[in-house]
Amino acid sequence: MNALTEMTGHEPQDTYSEELKPRTQLLHGQYTIERFLNSGGFALTYLARDSLERMVVIKECFPESLCTRRGGIVQPRARAHEKDYHAIVRMFTHEAHRLAKLRHPNIVGVHQVFEDNNTAYMVLDYVDGPDLLDLIQSGQNRLEPRQVKDILMRLLNAVSCIHEHSLLHRDISPDNILLDRRGNPILIDFGAARERATRASRVLSSLQVVKDGYSPQEFYITGATHAPSGDLYALAATFYHLITGAAPPSSQLRLAAVAAHEPDPLKSLAGRFPEYEPDFLMAIERALSIAPGERPQSAQEWLLDIDAGKRRSAAIARALRDETMERTISELVRATNLAVAEAIREDELRRKAEAQKPRQPEKKKPFFPWQAEDDDDWLLGSDEADGGAATSDAASARAPDGAALDAAEQAEGRSRPGAVRRLFRAIGTPFRLQRRT
């Protein structure tokens, strides 16, 4: 059973209608349509009342190039459009969930997302008040410069919140900024979902989600990368219109003029509106730069250009960061110096301790594998070997040759190099075994 059947109690006839009729109920009677508001090509917007008698705005996913309504049910226009249509409905739902995470007093709130009538719906705050375009065109209730500045600063904070959530608005313009009864600006009608829909559907790809005078030149290029500076251009164009009473020239015309080395058709704000601060007007013109890289790269950067209080706070914060960094570096240098001094002191103590130890004679490695490590004659140095030879000669003179050699050999357990040395001495031939170097 669809929403129209629930309202009337019987199946409707085969009628074709784009928008839902008043008194149509959605989500099992939780919402009742009061009246149709407008169509944006991708969605239909209604004023509705919820079950607690509160006024809300309901946006219905309705890409009119791909679908139609029959008996209250939204259907693809042709079987070839079914895949694209359902993909866009899913995209609409996903975007609504992302927007619902934005919590800011100057961004319209998303209360609920649901599916009905074979499509998707988004329930939004109802803002009772005019939009900026109404104020501009009516010529009444002209805003004072301080009000204009206050509204811009509030919207810059809202745009900053959007960008911090990795989102873009993509459709900032005077008709998408409402003023409530307290004069508080509310940003509505995000265009990011529509832009993604044109990329997802071949049928919709020919549709450009742009507004002449407000969209930056990169929004006109299919497949171009979009950045936060694009939203800032649109916001600057909106306030240019609010201040001057006329929308800026199309960014495409401005780009063509610059490429042809002709003057920019955008009239400068400088000197024309003395009631506004020069820095305020200059910041708007900077955000209206044709080249994205010449614009502020964030809403907070723009805020610093026009808000003296924020500039002062930022300078203080910067100074505190510098002072903290300087103090941290000083502490690191002091700790490093102490560590180096301690290492030097420990090294000096170690050297003194080593110098006080008695030096041991260096033991030399055997030249041949069969040379024993405990052969004193071999292990002694050349000078000590000579002294040992003299001692051996004296011992030989005091004892019989064979008996002395055997007794000494047995008592000292000398190895073959020692025996050979003594043999050569016994026959009167000098002997010295040199180590290979």
Side-chain angles (χ1 to χ4, degrees):
M1 182 179 294
N2 61 55
L4 194 58
T5 303
E6 290 182 349
M7 182 191 75
T8 60
H10 58 81
E11 292 289 337
Q13 297 180 350
D14 290 346
T15 58
Y16 294 86
S17 177
E18 296 299 326
E19 67 272 6
L20 294 172
K21 301 302 181 184
R23 298 191 305 278
T24 300
Q25 294 185 345
L26 298 171
L27 197 60
H28 309 292
Q30 186 169 345
Y31 300 100
T32 303
I33 299 298
E34 293 288 320
R35 60 185 174 90
F36 172 74
L37 293 178
N38 58 62
S39 170
F42 294 88
L44 305 177
T45 306
Y46 308 90
L47 181 65
R49 191 181 302 272
D50 68 8
S51 58
L52 298 177
E53 297 298 314
R54 295 174 300 192
M55 301 304 295
V56 295
V57 172
I58 292 182
K59 182 173 288 189
E60 178 185 39
C61 180
F62 195 91
E64 57 188 23
S65 298
L66 296 176
C67 65
T68 186
R69 194 188 308 275
R70 183 178 180 182
I73 301 296
V74 181
Q75 298 176 343
R77 290 187 179 274
R79 184 171 297 178
H81 296 160
E82 287 185 1
K83 184 177 180 181
D84 285 349
Y85 170 72
H86 291 297
I88 290 174
V89 171
R90 288 193 299 271
M91 193 179 304
F92 178 93
T93 303
H94 175 71
E95 189 73 10
H97 282 288
R98 296 182 70 189
L99 295 179
K101 296 179 181 178
L102 299 175
R103 303 290 184 184
H104 195 278
N106 302 109
I107 300 174
V108 65
V110 178
H111 295 295
Q112 191 174 13
V113 183
F114 63 91
E115 293 188 6
D116 201 349
N117 297 328
N118 197 38
T119 187
Y121 296 86
M122 186 190 316
V123 183
L124 307 163
D125 285 333
Y126 170 65
V127 181
D128 185 12
D131 58 45
L132 288 185
L133 187 60
D134 292 334
L135 292 180
I136 294 171
Q137 292 178 344
S138 68
Q140 300 175 356
N141 300 321
R142 185 175 178 84
L143 298 173
E144 296 293 329
R146 60 176 182 80
Q147 293 175 297
V148 173
K149 182 177 180 179
D150 179 70
I151 291 172
L152 177 57
M153 291 173 62
R154 290 173 185 263
L155 290 174
L156 282 172
N157 279 309
V159 171
S160 178
C161 176
I162 295 169
H163 295 167
E164 286 171 3
H165 283 78
S166 301
L167 292 169
L168 295 177
H169 188 286
R170 286 205 86 267
D171 196 16
I172 297 176
S173 57
D175 56 325
N176 283 334
I177 298 173
L178 300 177
L179 295 180
D180 64 16
R181 292 182 177 181
R182 296 174 298 176
N184 192 43
I186 308 294
L187 197 55
I188 66 169
D189 202 14
F190 284 65
R194 295 195 295 272
E195 189 272 336
R196 273 190 284 274
T198 62
R199 297 187 183 189
S201 171
R202 181 181 57 82
V203 176
L204 300 177
S205 61
S206 60
L207 301 177
Q208 290 182 324
V209 188
V210 293
K211 285 183 179 177
D212 287 340
Y214 306 103
S215 296
Q217 51 86 13
E218 63 267 23
F219 281 11
Y220 289 83
I221 303 173
T222 303
T225 300
H226 299 159
S229 63
D231 278 346
L232 300 183
Y233 181 99
L235 186 61
T238 295
F239 276 80
Y240 182 98
H241 192 176
L242 184 62
I243 293 171
T244 65
S250 166
S251 60
Q252 291 289 85
L253 294 176
R254 297 181 60 204
L255 181 63
V258 171
H261 303 289
E262 297 176 357
D264 187 344
L266 179 74
K267 292 183 179 180
S268 175
L269 297 173
R272 297 171 55 197
F273 303 93
E275 63 271 26
Y276 288 93
E277 299 172 358
D279 287 347
F280 181 79
L281 299 178
M282 189 181 304
I284 293 176
E285 288 198 29
R286 181 189 171 203
L288 280 170
S289 298
I290 296 175
E294 296 178 0
R295 307 169 197 153
Q297 297 304 296
S298 70
Q300 291 300 318
E301 182 181 341
W302 187 349
L303 274 169
L304 289 178
D305 288 343
I306 63 174
D307 188 349
K310 277 190 173 293
R311 283 200 303 271
R312 185 166 52 252
S313 299
I316 293 173
R318 210 163 36 243
L320 290 175
R321 284 197 303 270
D322 292 343
E323 182 180 348
T324 301
M325 183 179 297
E326 183 177 351
R327 185 165 54 249
T328 301
I329 293 174
S330 177
E331 291 175 355
L332 287 174
V333 170
R334 178 175 174 274
T336 302
N337 290 339
L338 290 175
V340 170
E342 181 65 18
I344 293 174
R345 188 182 67 83
E346 291 179 356
D347 185 62
E348 290 177 351
L349 292 176
R350 181 181 58 80
R351 290 177 181 273
K352 289 179 180 179
E354 290 180 354
Q356 293 173 358
K357 291 181 180 180
R359 299 188 61 181
Q360 299 294 333
E362 181 182 0
K363 290 187 177 183
K364 300 182 179 181
K365 294 183 180 180
F367 185 78
F368 298 107
W370 48 264
Q371 293 169 338
E373 290 289 342
D374 59 350
D375 187 338
D376 294 339
D377 289 342
W378 166 252
L379 295 174
L380 292 175
S382 59
D383 294 338
E384 296 169 328
D386 291 342
T391 304
S392 298
D393 290 342
S396 299
R398 293 193 300 268
D401 292 344
L405 289 175
D406 292 340
E409 199 61 35
Q410 291 174 2
E412 300 178 10
R414 294 188 181 275
S415 59
R416 281 175 291 176
V420 172
R421 186 193 305 276
R422 286 188 292 277
L423 178 60
F424 272 79
R425 286 173 181 161
I427 64 176
T429 303
F431 171 83
R432 178 171 296 174
L433 186 61
Q434 299 290 336
R435 177 183 292 184
R436 177 180 297 175
T437 59

